[in-house]
Amino acid sequence: MAKIKATANGSRQDVIIKKAAFLFRKKGFRAASMRELAENMGVEAPSLYNHIGSKGELLQSICFKIAALFMKQLEEVETRQVSIVEKLEQLIRFHIRLMLQLYDEVYVANHEWKYLDEISLSQFLSQRKLYEAKMIQLVKKGIRQNEIKNIHPQVAVLTILSAVKGLEILQKHKKEIGEAELENSIAEYLVKGLIK
Amino acid sequence: MAKIKATANGSRQDVIIKKAAFLFRKKGFRAASMRELAENMGVEAPSLYNHIGSKGELLQSICFKIAALFMKQLEEVETRQVSIVEKLEQLIRFHIRLMLQLYDEVYVANHEWKYLDEISLSQFLSQRKLYEAKMIQLVKKGIRQNEIKNIHPQVAVLTILSAVKGLEILQKHKKEIGEAELENSIAEYLVKGLIK
DNA sequence: GCACAAAACTAACACTTATTAGTTTTTGAT
DNA sequence: ATCAAAAACTAATAAGTGTTAGTTTTGTGC
């Protein structure tokens, strides 16, 4: 009769969500079972339901937590008194950093959101669409102000987002290369496509 | 009692694989059921087994077909008498083109390979590792020959691959922007990060 | 130590899954 | 028209799913 214990960094719910993110990332949402999640916590599956509502709610928590972090960062960067290119670079760096630091959660938000239930799904997608639109506006403004070369704003933004979204392939090189150099190399590479 | 018919572009097996790619992409491998696949073909689920071995085999066919296409292209490009940067650009363009033309299959090979059975999985991953290694070698050679700026070869290649891997987010803009412009914009953007 | 709430347990349900067995229908060549 | 092969069907199986109900154990404040 093991027990799920709350830690300094979070309630019992948070501990379950964290492990769920790990499993959803590793196995995929549909392939990750509540029984396996329970086993990982040293408990029987039904016991989880003393702490959480449903499997779907776990996915929601993960996806919306990450979406909120990105959106908050975007809004904060928008207000900063720096050039457009710097703003974009800061956003790119935030994507890289978050992927390195909250690997499981960011991966799940990037790749498993399609298993959200109908209502959450449409909410999630409109948040994402808004995020993309704001980035595209930034690039357009940069072009108007002659700061960014005359690229296709939509395509550029989606290419950048595609690049940072798939960075889980770099996760295993984190130790070997170092987080700081990873962030610098990737950011430099992606920013170079913007400037004149 | 509908029937699966072979078309000009493929045998009955190929038709099933094509539809399976569509479903695996749309729903995810685990969430896509054989019953749904059968329904899409106007047939009952067990009838599929007159033409295919198993659900897993369908995934294998898709993943290895795409992997082979990429590897063949890489080996072909390696022999061409052009600069390193041009070789890399041609590879990038091939990725974009294949994603636009074989959307479902490429998506599945990029995102659903983790559901391959153990043996296929390790084969698939070593093919991918080889592909990455060859691209990294290209970049290193380009740097040595002073053709490519002094970037981190591994990071650069994985960033490029991450970018082209996630291009499904551009699929819905294919009509609106045009395939040619999409290919040009993305390739230009990604190549700019390489050249001095 | 007692009582109450929190959190674990077991048993079970209602579904869905891929796949097999066995049978019937359809197709195509003679 | 006949006969064999191809391809469909129905029925069923065994395994796995998330989740609920009901019960027992554990932890906590008095």
Side-chain angles (χ1 to χ4, degrees), chain A residues 85 88-89 92 147-149 151 160 184-196, chain B residues 147-151 188-196:
Chain A
V85 170
L88 287 166
E89 175 165 355
I92 290 170
E147 208 186 306
I148 290 178
K149 64 185 292 221
I151 54 181
I160 291 172
N184 289 333
S185 300
I186 299 167
E188 199 186 326
Y189 187 96
L190 290 175
V191 169
K192 182 130 197 272
L194 294 171
I195 52 182
K196 297 201 97 163
Chain B
E147 208 188 306
I148 290 179
K149 64 184 294 220
N150 191 30
I151 54 179
E188 198 185 326
Y189 187 96
L190 291 176
V191 169
K192 184 129 194 274
L194 295 172
I195 52 181
K196 299 200 100 165

Side-chain angles (χ1 to χ4, degrees), chain A residues 14-186:
Chain A
D14 295 334
V15 177
I16 296 175
I17 291 173
K18 187 85 192 167
K19 189 66 97 180
F22 168 78
L23 267 182
F24 293 171
R25 191 266 306 160
K26 189 167 151 199
K27 303 262 189 168
F29 178 74
R30 292 296 287 256
S33 75
M34 294 303 277
R35 283 173 176 79
E36 192 175 3
L37 174 57
E39 198 182 359
N40 266 263
M41 320 260 344
V43 120
E44 296 298 319
S47 304
L48 295 174
Y49 289 84
N50 285 317
H51 307 286
I52 61 152
S54 68
K55 190 187 182 188
E57 268 183 28
L58 290 174
L59 183 61
Q60 284 173 44
S61 302
I62 296 164
C63 290
F64 284 105
K65 172 184 147 192
I66 296 301
L69 284 177
F70 278 119
M71 191 53 92
K72 189 183 155 207
Q73 176 73 4
L74 174 55
E75 284 164 354
E76 199 181 307
V77 165
E78 275 175 333
T79 69
R80 289 186 190 157
Q81 300 297 324
V82 296
S83 72
I84 302 283
V85 170
E86 276 172 295
K87 286 181 182 178
L88 287 166
E89 175 165 355
Q90 284 168 13
L91 287 176
I92 290 170
R93 285 179 178 270
F94 187 75
H95 272 275
I96 301 165
R97 227 173 300 142
L98 217 59
M99 175 62 91
L100 291 172
Q101 279 162 20
L102 292 178
Y103 174 40
D104 296 324
E105 288 88 340
V106 173
Y107 180 95
V108 169
N110 279 343
H111 294 102
E112 304 292 315
W113 53 263
K114 69 163 101 169
Y115 302 105
L116 288 168
D117 61 83
E118 213 175 353
I119 307 165
S120 308
L121 182 61
S122 73
Q123 276 178 31
F124 183 82
L125 288 180
S126 27
Q127 274 201 249
R128 203 178 65 166
K129 196 151 197 82
L130 178 61
Y131 187 90
E132 288 172 7
K134 278 170 176 276
M135 270 195 79
I136 291 171
Q137 283 312 312
L138 266 181
V139 170
K140 281 184 179 166
K141 197 172 165 198
I143 295 174
R144 274 203 310 276
Q145 298 181 359
N146 239 10
E147 208 186 306
I148 290 178
K149 64 185 292 221
N150 191 32
I151 54 181
H152 194 301
Q154 200 177 19
V155 174
V157 166
L158 293 181
T159 301
I160 291 172
L161 289 179
S162 175
V164 292
K165 188 180 94 180
L167 289 182
E168 71 271 2
I169 53 184
L170 276 164
Q171 185 64 15
K172 54 178 181 292
H173 305 297
K174 199 167 86 169
K175 290 253 169 68
E176 166 197 344
I177 302 179
E179 295 196 27
E181 191 184 344
L182 264 178
E183 182 185 324
N184 289 333
S185 300
I186 299 167

Side-chain angles (χ1 to χ4, degrees), chain B:
Chain B
M1 232 179 193
K3 270 229 159 167
I4 303 170
K5 4 179 199 205
T7 68
N9 353 335
S11 69
R12 265 177 272 252
Q13 247 209 71
D14 295 334
V15 177
I16 296 175
I17 292 173
K18 186 86 192 166
K19 189 66 96 181
F22 168 78
L23 268 182
F24 293 172
R25 191 265 306 159
K26 189 168 150 198
K27 304 260 188 169
F29 178 74
R30 291 297 286 257
S33 74
M34 294 302 276
R35 283 172 175 77
E36 192 174 3
L37 174 57
E39 198 182 358
N40 266 263
M41 319 260 347
V43 120
E44 296 298 320
S47 304
L48 295 173
Y49 290 83
N50 285 317
H51 308 286
I52 62 154
S54 67
K55 190 187 182 188
E57 267 184 29
L58 290 173
L59 183 61
Q60 283 174 45
S61 303
I62 297 163
C63 290
F64 285 105
K65 174 184 146 192
I66 296 301
L69 284 177
F70 278 119
M71 192 53 93
K72 190 183 154 207
Q73 176 73 4
L74 173 56
E75 284 165 353
E76 199 181 307
V77 165
E78 276 175 331
T79 69
R80 290 187 190 156
Q81 301 296 324
V82 294
S83 71
I84 303 281
V85 171
E86 276 173 297
K87 286 181 182 178
L88 287 166
E89 174 164 355
Q90 283 168 13
L91 287 176
I92 290 169
R93 285 179 178 272
F94 186 74
H95 273 274
I96 301 165
R97 226 174 300 141
L98 217 59
M99 175 62 90
L100 291 171
Q101 278 161 21
L102 291 178
Y103 174 39
D104 295 324
E105 288 87 342
V106 174
Y107 179 94
V108 169
N110 280 341
H111 294 102
E112 305 292 314
W113 53 262
K114 70 162 100 169
Y115 303 104
L116 289 168
D117 61 84
E118 213 176 352
I119 308 165
S120 307
L121 183 61
S122 74
Q123 276 178 31
F124 184 81
L125 288 180
S126 29
Q127 275 202 249
R128 205 178 62 166
K129 196 150 199 79
L130 178 61
Y131 187 89
E132 288 172 6
K134 279 170 175 275
M135 269 195 81
I136 291 170
Q137 283 312 312
L138 266 181
V139 170
K140 281 184 179 166
K141 198 173 165 196
I143 294 173
R144 275 202 311 276
Q145 298 181 0
N146 240 8
E147 208 188 306
I148 290 179
K149 64 184 294 220
N150 191 30
I151 54 179
H152 194 302
Q154 200 178 17
V155 174
V157 165
L158 293 181
T159 301
I160 291 171
L161 289 179
S162 174
V164 294
K165 188 181 92 180
L167 289 181
E168 71 270 2
I169 54 184
L170 276 162
Q171 186 63 15
K172 54 179 180 292
H173 306 296
K174 200 169 87 169
K175 290 255 170 66
E176 165 198 346
I177 302 179
E179 295 196 28
E181 191 185 346
L182 265 179
E183 182 185 324
N184 288 333
S185 300
I186 299 167
E188 198 185 326
Y189 187 96
L190 291 176
V191 169
K192 184 129 194 274
L194 295 172
I195 52 181
K196 299 200 100 165

